Amino acid sequence: MQGLKTFILMFVMTIMLMFIGSLIGGRGGMIIALIIAGGMNFFSYWFSDKMVLSMYGAQPLAPEDRVYKITANLAKKANLPMPKVYMINEEQPNAFATGRNPEHAAVAVTRGLADIMTDDELAGVIGHELGHVSHRDILIGTVAATLAGAITYMANIARWAAIFDGSRRRDEEDSSPFVLILVSILAPIGAMLVQMAISRSREYKADDFGAQVSGNPLYLANALRKLQTWTSRIPMDANPATENMFIVSPLAGSKMANLFSTHPSTVERIRRLEEMAR
């Protein structure tokens, strides 16, 4: 199922990117867009973990650190390779996993998360992130963010092409500037909807995994309850393209962000975990 989702995601977004390229530059534009999509997928697959960790200034943790020890224990229980463990110097409590596969995975937590969570709650959160590692969900999120960014970039080019060259020829026919403008508006929205649909199913699956590997669904439920409270109070300077990687949206304090969140309702996630415990 995870492999099928990855294929569908890459296929749909690649088609969108090729379509925009064809509107801008005909068949040549379509080929260029396809090359861009392939190159960005390859680059994001191999280097996404380094890019994201660098973006947030993540620092590796020593084996004697509390977070490291909990991660090592859970990875052993889940029969997963030991991931690298990082700390992000942010007050907002949050966490994410990254890396192209379980053998090259990393788990990062913010300073705020380590400060407010008990050991059991921290185990629930890290178990959730190891769920993403186990299911190879990191690849899905990385490809989604990369292609969505490329589609948005191409859509901006299409908009400016419509403004400055409204009668661009394509395959012996004139392309209407209104079509370019419409596509430049709808394409990023479509890419975002694909991200949201995939990301929400990923979160539920990772919650189930975290509940099992930590030993009690209530550990994660209690952690999510704290996260829901604190993320709305403490802002985080997070890149929207990486929102889907975090256990809860780091942009939760924004009302507009809530309308287009890549995460399912935290209340619903807590309800499901409490039902699992019962």
Side-chain angles (χ1 to χ4, degrees):
M1 180 61 71
Q2 295 300 320
L4 178 61
K5 286 180 179 178
T6 302
F7 173 80
I8 293 173
L9 174 64
M10 294 177 66
F11 179 77
V12 171
M13 288 194 168
T14 299
I15 291 298
M16 293 173 64
L17 190 59
M18 290 173 61
F19 178 67
I20 299 174
S22 70
L23 287 179
I24 297 174
R27 291 179 180 175
M30 182 185 296
I31 293 173
I32 292 173
L34 181 60
I35 293 173
I36 291 174
M40 295 189 75
N41 278 325
F42 177 82
F43 185 83
S44 63
Y45 178 79
W46 285 97
F47 302 108
S48 62
D49 54 340
K50 296 180 178 62
M51 292 170 57
V52 175
L53 292 169
S54 176
M55 181 186 302
Y56 290 103
Q59 298 297 317
L61 291 177
E64 59 269 18
D65 187 272
R66 165 177 170 247
V67 176
Y68 189 102
K69 290 179 179 178
I70 292 175
T71 304
N73 180 52
L74 293 174
K76 184 177 181 179
K77 288 177 63 176
N79 197 27
L80 287 171
M82 178 61 191
K84 296 179 181 178
V85 187
Y86 291 84
M87 177 75 74
I88 299 172
N89 189 29
E90 286 280 352
E91 189 177 353
Q92 184 192 91
N94 224 317
F96 67 81
T98 186
R100 61 183 183 270
N101 54 41
E103 290 73 28
H104 299 86
V107 173
V109 304
T110 64
R111 176 174 48 81
L113 184 84
D115 287 345
I116 70 168
M117 296 292 171
T118 66
D119 286 354
D120 288 341
E121 292 164 349
L122 195 56
V125 171
I126 295 175
H128 170 99
E129 298 306 331
L130 291 179
H132 287 312
V133 173
S134 177
H135 300 150
R136 298 178 183 265
D137 289 339
I138 301 167
L139 174 61
I140 299 176
T142 300
V143 172
T146 302
L147 286 182
I151 289 170
T152 301
Y153 178 74
M154 294 291 284
N156 288 333
I157 295 177
R159 183 169 62 251
W160 288 111
I163 294 173
F164 292 108
D165 190 8
S167 59
R168 180 179 297 275
R169 291 185 60 81
R170 178 174 64 91
D171 293 339
E172 305 299 331
E173 296 180 0
D174 288 335
S175 178
S176 168
F178 298 106
V179 174
L180 287 175
I181 293 175
L182 184 62
V183 169
S184 72
I185 295 172
L186 296 181
I189 296 175
M192 179 183 63
L193 292 176
V194 173
Q195 274 188 283
M196 290 166 58
I198 298 298
S199 179
R200 287 176 178 175
S201 66
R202 289 171 56 244
E203 293 304 318
Y204 283 132
K205 289 180 179 296
D207 282 350
D208 292 345
F209 187 95
Q212 293 173 14
V213 75
S214 66
N216 190 333
L218 295 181
Y219 295 164
L220 181 55
N222 293 336
L224 286 173
R225 193 172 286 109
K226 284 185 178 180
L227 289 169
Q228 183 181 34
T229 300
W230 288 100
T231 52
S232 61
R233 296 179 182 178
I234 303 173
M236 181 175 177
D237 186 19
N239 188 324
T242 64
E243 176 192 5
N244 63 318
M245 298 180 65
F246 288 84
I247 185 170
V248 295
S249 172
L251 309 175
S254 167
K255 292 183 179 180
M256 184 60 67
N258 288 339
L259 295 176
F260 301 99
S261 177
T262 57
H263 293 67
S265 165
T266 305
V267 173
E268 175 61 18
R269 293 169 69 184
I270 293 171
R271 186 198 67 78
R272 285 165 56 97
L273 288 165
E274 290 178 338
E275 181 66 24
M276 189 186 302
R278 285 193 290 270

